[in-house]
């Protein structure tokens, strides 16, 4: 029996076009927090490291003043590059984990470093990695997860991603098989998996205990087909609108939410719709419609105005 009501609905700065700590094409952090509260969201991720206030006291006050609750954060790392990259990640992730713990959030999303530039889409390294680099990725993720949990009580969840070395279902399943399940679990990003022709339902069925955090994202199949045909990097595909509102994209959300509900435990399901770059007046109505869609599917909570 499915318990969809156990899925905790949230959103992320990504859904407001925020990809970087600071960028002239993005809304300010004050606008982001004001608008998600206005829509009625309760849970939010912190977004790119440095986007929201980094002082724990200020961040607590800004969230509390809008009746918002932090559920997680995100940090990029290129752990396949070896020890130097791992040492940098330990520093970056520990700083984020400390902030998350201070505001009561327990999940830190590990985004693997892209091999295409997030601004221009230009290739920055090869799309494949060798066995030594794969070993670095696996052992580095295990060590990173252990450190942030032991030091801060924050749980690492790994996020498969287009234009990275863990993108396809085959690579995702290999990564889950090679990493320590007591330390490393999955942020199931439904859109990135669909973009790479993976089967979200199959991944849930094969690794039910490893699905501990979810990004709800939808892919426009026509735009995706064009991106694949033209060999476009993710940055260019996003500008064409490859990530879309849930009624119009893949995967089909009701069966996916039903399958997640069958896990029968509280799981954060955080809406992400890549919009960078976007005019500042665009995200709010999209965020409101998307919240309404998921509330109609049985997820929550979403407050009614006034917040």
């Amino acid at each position: 029996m499915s318990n969809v009501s156990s899925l905790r609905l949230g959103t992320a700065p990504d859904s407001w076009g925020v990809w970087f700590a600071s960028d002239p094409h993005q809304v300010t952090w004050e606008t982001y927090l004001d608008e998600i509260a206005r829509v009625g969201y309760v849970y939010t991720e912190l977004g790119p490291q440095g986007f929201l206030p980094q002082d724990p006291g200020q961040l607590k006050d800004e969230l509390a003043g809008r009746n918002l609750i932090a559920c997680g954060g995100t940090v990029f790392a290129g752990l396949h590059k070896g020890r130097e990259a791992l040492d940098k990640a330990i520093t970056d992730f520990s700083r984020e984990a400390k902030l998350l713990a201070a505001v009561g959030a327990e999940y830190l999303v590990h985004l693997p470093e892209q091999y295409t530039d997030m601004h221009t889409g230009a290739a920055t390294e090869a799309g494949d990695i060798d066995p030594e680099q794969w070993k670095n990725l696996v052992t580095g993720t295990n060590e990173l997860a252990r450190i942030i949990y032991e030091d801060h009580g924050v749980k690492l969840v790994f996020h498969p991603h287009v234009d990275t070395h863990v993108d396809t279902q085959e690579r995702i399943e290999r990564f889950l098989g090679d990493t320590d399940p007591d330390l490393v679990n999955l942020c199931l990003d439904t859109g990135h998996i669909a973009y790479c022709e993976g089967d979200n339902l199959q991944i849930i069925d094969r690794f039910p205990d490893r699905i501990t955090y979810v990004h709800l994202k939808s892919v426009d199949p026509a735009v995706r087909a064009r991106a694949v045909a033209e060999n476009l990097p993710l940055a260019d595909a996003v500008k064409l609108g490859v990530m879309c509102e849930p009624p119009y994209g893949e995967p089909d959300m009701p069966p996916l939410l039903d399958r997640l509900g069958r896990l029968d435990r509280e799981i954060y399901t955080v809406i992400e719709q890549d919009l960078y770059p976007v005019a500042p007046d665009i995200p709010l109505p999209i965020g409101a419609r998307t919240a309404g869609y998921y509330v109609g599917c049985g997820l929550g909570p979403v407050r009614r105005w006034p917040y």
Side-chain angles (χ1 to χ4, degrees):
M1 183 175 179
S2 182
N3 183 17
V4 175
S5 64
S6 66
L7 305 179
R8 304 286 86 196
L9 185 65
T11 193
D14 182 45
S15 297
W16 258 250
V18 176
W19 273 13
F20 306 100
S22 179
D23 187 279
H25 299 294
Q26 298 176 171
V27 298
T28 64
W29 64 263
E30 294 96 335
T31 296
Y32 170 71
L33 293 181
D34 287 344
E35 290 193 352
I36 66 168
R38 184 178 170 191
V39 168
Y41 289 108
V42 174
Y43 295 106
T44 179
E45 285 186 359
L46 303 189
Q49 192 167 31
F51 173 64
L52 291 186
Q54 297 298 287
D55 177 75
Q58 182 188 3
L59 182 57
K60 283 181 183 179
D61 290 345
E62 297 291 352
L63 293 171
R66 299 169 174 84
N67 292 316
L68 295 169
I69 300 170
C71 60
T74 55
V75 182
F76 277 96
L79 298 183
H80 63 289
K81 295 178 179 178
R83 187 70 228 184
E84 186 176 341
L86 175 57
D87 289 341
K88 181 180 186 303
I90 290 170
T91 298
D92 293 344
F93 279 65
S94 294
R95 185 169 71 251
E96 186 78 357
K98 183 178 180 180
L99 182 61
L100 289 167
V103 296
E106 60 178 317
Y107 290 98
L108 179 44
V109 180
H110 170 196
L111 291 159
E113 192 174 278
Q114 291 181 212
Y115 55 75
T116 55
D117 186 274
M118 292 177 68
H119 284 287
T120 67
T124 55
E125 60 180 301
D128 293 314
I129 56 177
D130 61 36
E132 183 65 23
Q133 290 174 313
W134 182 264
K135 181 181 177 182
N136 290 338
L137 174 61
V138 168
T139 59
T141 305
N142 285 339
E143 183 175 348
L144 181 62
R146 177 184 58 77
I147 289 170
I148 65 169
Y149 185 73
E150 290 180 353
D151 291 354
H152 304 286
V154 171
K155 302 168 186 174
L156 185 141
V157 286
F158 185 88
H159 182 309
H161 201 287
V162 177
D163 285 2
T164 76
H165 302 109
V166 186
D167 49 2
T168 64
Q169 183 171 344
E170 179 183 10
R171 288 176 168 178
I172 293 166
E173 294 191 1
R174 180 186 174 196
F175 180 83
L176 290 174
D178 289 350
T179 49
D180 186 341
D182 292 329
L183 295 170
V184 180
N185 285 304
L186 190 67
C187 171
L188 183 83
D189 188 293
T190 61
H192 283 274
I193 289 168
Y195 190 110
C196 295
E197 299 187 299
D199 187 327
N200 281 278
L201 299 182
Q202 201 171 75
I203 292 172
I204 296 169
D205 289 344
R206 291 179 179 175
F207 299 92
D209 296 334
R210 306 291 293 274
I211 311 298
T212 56
Y213 198 88
V214 175
H215 280 170
L216 295 174
K217 185 176 292 179
S218 301
V219 174
D220 183 315
V223 178
R224 179 199 167 276
R226 175 184 169 184
V228 171
E230 297 180 14
N231 196 29
L232 298 179
L234 179 62
D236 288 352
V238 168
K239 291 172 185 174
L240 294 173
V242 72
M243 303 304 179
C244 62
E245 295 179 47
Y248 312 115
E250 297 174 347
D252 185 17
M253 282 299 172
L256 179 109
L257 298 174
D258 176 79
R259 199 67 56 92
L260 289 171
R262 291 179 185 276
L263 299 178
D264 199 25
R265 60 176 182 269
E266 188 171 278
I267 297 175
Y268 290 110
T269 49
V270 178
I271 299 165
E272 274 200 334
Q273 182 180 344
D274 294 335
L275 289 174
Y276 180 89
V278 68
D281 61 323
I282 299 297
L284 177 62
I286 292 176
R289 289 192 298 268
T290 303
Y293 173 83
Y294 283 113
V295 169
C297 292
L299 278 63
V302 170
R303 290 185 298 266
R304 287 180 288 181
W305 185 265
Y307 64 81

